[in-house]
Amino acid sequence: MKFSYEWLAQLSGHKGSAKDLAELLSVRAFETEVVKNSEFPGIIVAKVTKIEKHPNADRLRVIELTDGKQNISPVVCGAWNFDVGAFVPLALPGAVIPVNTHDASGQSFVLNKATIRGVESQGMICSAKELGLAGDSEGILLLDKNLELGSDFSPKNSKEIIFDISVPANRPDILSYRGVAWEISALTNSKYQAKPVAKTVTKLRSNILKVRVSEPKLCSLYSALRISNISVGPSPQFIQNRLKESGLRPINNVVDITNYVMLEMGQPMHAFDAMKVNGGINVRKAYVNETITTLDGQDRKLSSDILVIADSKQALAIAGIIGGQNSAVTDATTEIILEAANFNSVQTRLTSKKLGLRTDASSRFERSLPSAFVDQALQLASDLLAKYASGKTLEYATTGIKTSKPTIVSVEPDKVNALLGLNLSKSSQKKILTNMGFTVSGANTLRVTVPFWRPDVKIWQDLAEEIVRFEGLDKIPNISPNFTSSASLSDPRVSIREKISDLLASLGFDEAYTYSFVSRAFLQKYNIDPKSAVEVANPISSDQEFLRLGLGMNYEKLIAQNAKYESKGNLFEIGNAYFKSGDYIKEEMRLYILSFSKDAVPLDYFVGSLKELFHRLGIDFSVKQIDEQTGNILSNGQNLGPIQAETQGEVKWIAAELRFDELAKFIQASEFQTINRYPSRQLDVAILVREDLSWQQVKDVATPKNFKLLQDVELIEVYRGKNVTPGKKSLTFRLTYQAPDRTLTDEEVEKIHSQILGELKAKLNVQIRD
């Protein structure tokens, strides 16, 4: 969120360097960056270099421009008040255009590339009216030719310093200037300058104005003012400047003041034209199929789970998010109803997500605002409207819970020091907490009352965090922990997982991480009943409605993405699959291994890698084929998981998904042997076998377990085609012979080799090929 440094300094009393303050806030509070101020991001100064007639429209022209470094074209424009050499404001795709002159609402919009009468325009040359710099204008805004080409467009030479602050999710107070200013005052020991707001409006009686909350669980407090004698017009320049510096567009004094108060106090507000409100205000749920045209010009169909602000006839606003056009303040407005409320954070977040609409108001309500903000904001807005819009506040109406019991936390200073590794005195800790806005009492044990604007502080460890960030994290000494680790605390699966990951990485596999979610469409595509999968209660998108039933479910898309850049690759992932188990969700850890290639199925590499992995883990395994594409991996007769080959467009791949815990049961402790000093002898054999005879059956006969001095058996090639009888295939494999204590003679090798070939002929009826 963007903050004006000048405004922050005024509220906090800070007089030092903006750069130093930003660094201090980043270290002690929240990430803060000093950014360049730009009222018109994405709009630059450009020079017209070429003008041509539009091929399909007499009133349009096709313009070529330069930003001083490169040409930008074509840009379609309907204005004729400039020629080649003119300097103009050029909005590039992605820029925010402050005023939409083609829409009655005049709302800002994001510029995209657009095809205009057959020509795709690469930008937009802006008029003063479109930039919000004039109520009306003739043609394009012409700029001073002394301006730097390519620089950000600005109507003035602004030297305002802007802070871009990353607001923590649990700190609603930091979404306001007063909240940030309080932090600055505490951290820099400066005097907080923001004046407290006197609540005089809350003493007014309500005669005409009536408010009601039909959903108190979703709106705990709703307050409103009826203000007459309103004179709608431009805001004072200082308000307009501060809104722009904070990223908001000035509209008129009434709307601008509600936004100004929201920025300063953190409490969103909304003004209704009182003459457009029928009867009292009611906070209720929308009716089925109720509709509203919101201030952004969108017609929105509402559902019965959406909270709205309504009168006796219709919805006037979507609670906590955006107002409606049917009650909007216009130049003709003379009386308003000004609301401030405390809406449920979860309800606001769900509605915002459902509508696909996130606003400055919703981003604040989502963080659970304190109810005390409501009346303070109404009072400040009332004062400003009286001063800058001639407003006269007549009535105040409210319903709901205004106050709640303050949070009180007890903390022992010795515990804080033990947790942080510091040695701060009780008086030092008390002073720090007091500076941060906490009320502290007590002798040995401190009794700390948490200020209403700090809902994130609930336990004594939170107070310890406040103390250490104020003191400085760099003050924590670098010492070894004073406890010993316990072997019982470690999960044995962690070390096994690391071992398998290291082994697969050494074999040329890259570790991948995929989402644990899949879509309904994916399940239906593979004839998987969605009812068999665990459904996500609040999915982020339609692609993430269910938890995955296997790791391989997300690899179809991943392989396609990787295949765009690599002709082959090897991936693995260790993660959880999820299953229904009665009323509970069962998590099962899986190991997924995959090889893909744009050439032939990478069978040899994959099987060889799998074999090496199991060998290094000390596991005997075999593959039981189901058909040519699928099979199961077995160890000691137990099924560890499926192996499957697939073709996806031009990409072929083969993958195995193994149950991690079952695999872990068979892992043997590593035994190291000295490297054999004696040479080995390798002989290749080609055999002709039936098509249905698997390599595993051959390997079960020619195995080192059955023949002394046979060290290894490796499949080299599977061949079908010319010179091979139909219904048969040729298997070529390599036999490695070696003795641990001597060099083998040719006679010894030939004797064992003949025995193996004899066994293959006798047991499998194979034919030895020359």
Side-chain angles (χ1 to χ4, degrees):
M1 179 175 169
K2 290 183 171 56
F3 291 84
S4 159
Y5 168 71
E6 177 268 332
W7 193 0
L8 288 175
Q10 183 187 83
L11 291 172
S12 66
H14 178 68
K15 301 186 186 308
S17 159
K19 181 181 177 182
D20 291 344
L21 178 60
E23 292 177 357
L24 177 67
L25 289 175
S26 294
V27 172
R28 303 281 183 89
F30 25 75
E31 185 179 354
T32 304
E33 183 181 358
V34 179
V35 298
K36 183 179 180 182
N37 181 33
S38 177
E39 292 183 52
F40 301 92
I43 302 178
I44 64 170
V45 177
K47 178 181 178 181
V48 178
T49 57
K50 187 176 182 181
I51 300 177
E52 294 181 342
K53 182 180 177 297
H54 194 293
N56 304 315
D58 293 337
R59 296 185 179 182
L60 299 177
R61 299 193 293 177
V62 179
I63 315 298
E64 180 184 280
L65 306 99
T66 179
D67 63 0
K69 295 181 180 179
Q70 60 182 354
N71 290 333
I72 302 168
S73 68
V75 175
V76 178
C77 183
W80 290 71
N81 68 316
F82 63 92
D83 295 311
V84 171
F87 279 47
V88 295
L90 173 65
L92 301 174
V96 177
I97 307 301
V99 180
N100 186 350
T101 58
H102 301 288
D103 186 89
S105 67
Q107 292 290 318
S108 62
F109 67 97
V110 177
L111 180 68
N112 296 310
K113 290 182 181 180
T115 300
I116 303 174
R117 301 293 294 271
V119 177
E120 185 181 61
S121 184
Q122 305 299 308
M124 172 180 168
I125 307 174
C126 301
S127 68
K129 184 177 181 181
E130 288 163 333
L131 295 171
L133 301 176
D136 202 357
S137 58
E138 292 292 334
I140 295 304
L141 176 64
L142 301 179
L143 304 179
D144 190 329
K145 293 186 178 182
N146 292 321
L147 293 175
E148 180 185 354
L149 289 176
S151 63
D152 291 341
F153 165 74
S154 177
K156 56 186 177 66
N157 183 22
S158 176
K159 296 182 179 179
E160 172 60 26
I161 300 170
I162 302 299
F163 279 3
D164 191 354
I165 294 177
S166 179
V167 180
N170 64 341
R171 293 292 302 274
D173 56 308
I174 304 305
L175 285 167
S176 70
Y177 273 83
R178 289 198 176 206
V180 176
W182 185 275
E183 288 280 318
I184 294 172
S185 296
L187 292 170
T188 61
N189 202 28
S190 57
K191 187 175 180 181
Y192 186 64
Q193 299 294 315
K195 297 179 180 179
V197 180
K199 300 179 185 177
T200 58
V201 295
T202 59
K203 299 176 183 179
L204 295 173
R205 295 178 118 190
S206 175
N207 297 315
I208 299 173
L209 180 61
K210 303 296 180 185
V211 297
R212 179 162 64 97
V213 174
S214 298
E215 298 289 339
K217 290 184 179 179
L218 304 181
C219 177
S220 60
L221 176 62
Y222 189 93
S223 299
L225 299 176
R226 184 167 71 89
I227 305 176
S228 67
N229 200 40
I230 290 291
S231 176
V232 177
S235 302
Q237 195 60 49
F238 85 93
I239 288 182
Q240 293 190 40
N241 291 343
R242 286 181 172 178
L243 291 180
K244 291 176 184 178
E245 288 155 4
S246 303
L248 298 181
R249 181 173 67 88
I251 298 174
N252 59 52
N253 52 357
V254 175
V255 176
D256 292 354
I257 285 171
T258 63
N259 285 333
Y260 182 89
V261 173
M262 177 187 70
L263 291 174
E264 181 169 329
M265 306 290 294
Q267 172 67 48
M269 311 182 75
H270 186 67
F272 303 101
D273 187 323
M275 298 298 104
K276 299 174 183 178
V277 178
N278 298 285
I281 296 287
N282 183 19
V283 184
R284 60 167 171 84
K285 284 190 175 180
Y287 302 135
V288 177
N289 296 328
E290 188 171 10
T291 60
I292 183 174
T293 301
T294 47
L295 289 173
D296 57 0
Q298 298 294 313
D299 294 327
R300 300 185 186 276
K301 186 176 181 180
L302 308 178
S303 57
S304 59
D305 58 348
I306 290 178
L307 192 70
V308 298
I309 314 300
D311 61 12
S312 60
K313 292 185 177 181
Q314 60 186 339
L316 304 175
I318 301 174
I321 298 178
I322 193 171
Q325 283 191 355
N326 55 3
S327 59
V329 173
T330 67
D331 291 346
T333 299
T334 58
E335 186 172 305
I336 64 170
I337 295 174
L338 183 64
E339 71 158 25
N342 193 265
F343 296 114
N344 180 275
S345 60
V346 175
Q347 171 71 19
T348 305
R349 190 179 303 113
L350 291 174
T351 301
S352 176
K353 180 186 170 188
K354 189 167 192 174
L355 296 175
L357 178 63
R358 198 160 191 268
T359 61
D360 291 301
S362 68
S363 66
R364 286 167 170 81
F365 283 120
E366 286 175 5
R367 285 174 162 85
S368 300
L369 295 177
S371 59
F373 283 175
V374 170
D375 285 345
Q376 292 184 16
L378 282 175
Q379 181 67 61
L380 179 58
S382 173
D383 294 343
L384 292 172
L385 286 167
K387 190 172 183 179
Y388 300 114
S390 303
K392 183 178 180 180
T393 303
L394 302 177
E395 294 184 77
Y396 166 79
T398 185
T399 182
I401 303 171
K402 283 194 173 186
T403 59
S404 58
K405 289 185 178 180
T407 300
I408 298 176
V409 180
S410 296
V411 57
E412 297 177 17
D414 290 342
K415 279 190 175 182
V416 172
N417 284 328
L419 178 66
L420 302 178
L422 299 176
N423 188 26
L424 291 172
S425 67
K426 181 176 65 176
S427 59
S428 296
Q429 294 186 32
K430 187 174 181 179
K431 183 179 179 181
I432 289 172
L433 291 174
T434 302
N435 285 346
M436 302 299 286
F438 298 86
T439 302
V440 186
S441 61
N444 296 325
T445 298
L446 300 180
R447 184 177 169 85
V448 181
T449 302
V450 180
F452 69 86
W453 64 84
R454 290 298 304 273
D456 58 303
V457 177
K458 296 180 175 66
I459 57 178
W460 73 266
Q461 289 86 348
D462 293 333
L463 295 174
E465 182 181 353
E466 292 297 299
I467 290 170
V468 74
R469 74 181 181 88
F470 185 93
E471 186 69 12
L473 295 174
D474 55 325
K475 300 292 179 62
I476 298 176
N478 183 17
I479 57 175
S480 300
N482 60 358
F483 61 89
T484 56
S485 61
S486 171
S488 63
L489 295 176
S490 62
D491 184 345
R493 295 191 304 175
V494 174
S495 58
I496 294 174
R497 176 181 180 143
E498 290 179 353
K499 182 176 183 178
I500 291 175
S501 296
D502 290 343
L503 288 175
L504 285 170
S506 70
L507 294 172
F509 286 75
D510 295 315
E511 186 167 9
Y513 295 90
T514 60
Y515 287 120
S516 298
F517 311 102
V518 292
S519 66
R520 183 184 298 272
F522 179 89
L523 297 177
Q524 292 172 340
K525 177 181 177 181
Y526 290 96
N527 298 318
I528 300 172
D529 185 359
K531 293 181 180 179
S532 66
V534 177
E535 188 170 3
V536 179
N538 186 23
I540 296 174
S541 69
S542 58
D543 291 336
Q544 300 182 357
E545 293 179 277
F546 296 89
L547 291 176
R548 63 188 177 191
L549 295 164
L551 270 61
M553 287 187 163
N554 283 319
Y555 276 81
E556 184 176 296
K557 184 184 295 185
L558 188 63
I559 293 170
Q561 291 172 341
N562 279 267
K564 291 179 182 178
Y565 309 101
E566 301 290 341
S567 61
K568 60 183 178 180
N570 308 291
L571 303 170
F572 78 93
E573 180 176 359
I574 301 174
N576 288 332
Y578 305 87
F579 307 93
K580 287 182 177 180
S581 179
D583 295 332
Y584 300 94
I585 300 173
K586 179 184 177 183
E587 298 183 17
E588 186 176 286
M589 188 176 283
R590 300 285 183 86
L591 166 63
Y592 190 74
I593 314 172
L594 174 143
S595 292
F596 71 87
S597 173
K598 289 185 178 179
D599 301 321
V601 177
L603 178 66
D604 293 346
Y605 186 89
F606 184 80
V607 173
S609 300
L610 206 60
K611 172 185 172 183
E612 184 63 23
L613 172 67
F614 277 82
H615 173 70
R616 295 190 189 183
L617 294 174
I619 302 175
D620 291 326
F621 87 103
S622 60
V623 177
K624 182 180 179 181
Q625 267 187 283
I626 299 175
D627 53 42
E628 287 190 357
Q629 299 294 109
T630 60
N632 287 315
I633 295 177
L634 307 178
S635 181
N636 295 332
Q638 186 165 337
N639 186 1
L640 298 181
I643 182 171
Q644 184 168 356
E646 291 281 353
T647 298
Q648 183 177 320
E650 62 176 347
V651 182
K652 287 87 175 174
W653 53 278
I654 183 168
E657 183 160 338
L658 309 176
R659 287 183 288 278
F660 188 89
D661 289 339
E662 296 299 321
L663 176 70
K665 290 179 183 178
F666 298 106
I667 294 178
Q668 303 294 320
S670 300
E671 293 183 5
F672 297 94
Q673 295 178 339
T674 57
I675 297 174
N676 198 322
R677 295 162 32 191
Y678 298 96
S680 62
R681 174 85 179 275
Q682 293 180 329
L683 295 177
D684 292 348
V685 179
I687 59 175
L688 198 63
V689 302
R690 303 186 314 274
E691 185 63 55
D692 62 346
L693 189 71
S694 69
W695 162 242
Q696 188 61 48
Q697 291 173 282
V698 176
K699 190 177 177 182
D700 287 342
V701 174
T703 173
K705 288 183 178 181
N706 298 337
F707 298 95
K708 189 178 180 181
L709 304 182
L710 177 62
Q711 293 296 313
D712 192 27
V713 182
E714 179 184 5
L715 179 65
I716 297 175
E717 183 183 55
V718 179
Y719 175 75
R720 302 175 183 86
K722 188 177 180 181
N723 299 327
V724 173
T725 306
K728 292 193 175 184
K729 60 186 175 183
S730 174
L731 302 178
T732 302
F733 54 96
R734 179 166 295 154
L735 302 172
T736 301
Y737 301 96
Q738 191 175 32
D741 54 353
R742 67 188 186 283
T743 300
L744 292 175
T745 63
D746 290 344
E747 291 79 9
E748 288 179 299
V749 173
E750 288 297 334
K751 181 178 179 181
I752 303 169
H753 194 67
S754 297
Q755 290 175 358
I756 293 173
L757 298 183
E759 287 287 309
L760 289 172
K761 292 177 182 178
K763 294 183 177 180
L764 300 178
N765 193 28
V766 305
Q767 178 182 343
I768 309 299
R769 302 184 69 196
D770 295 332

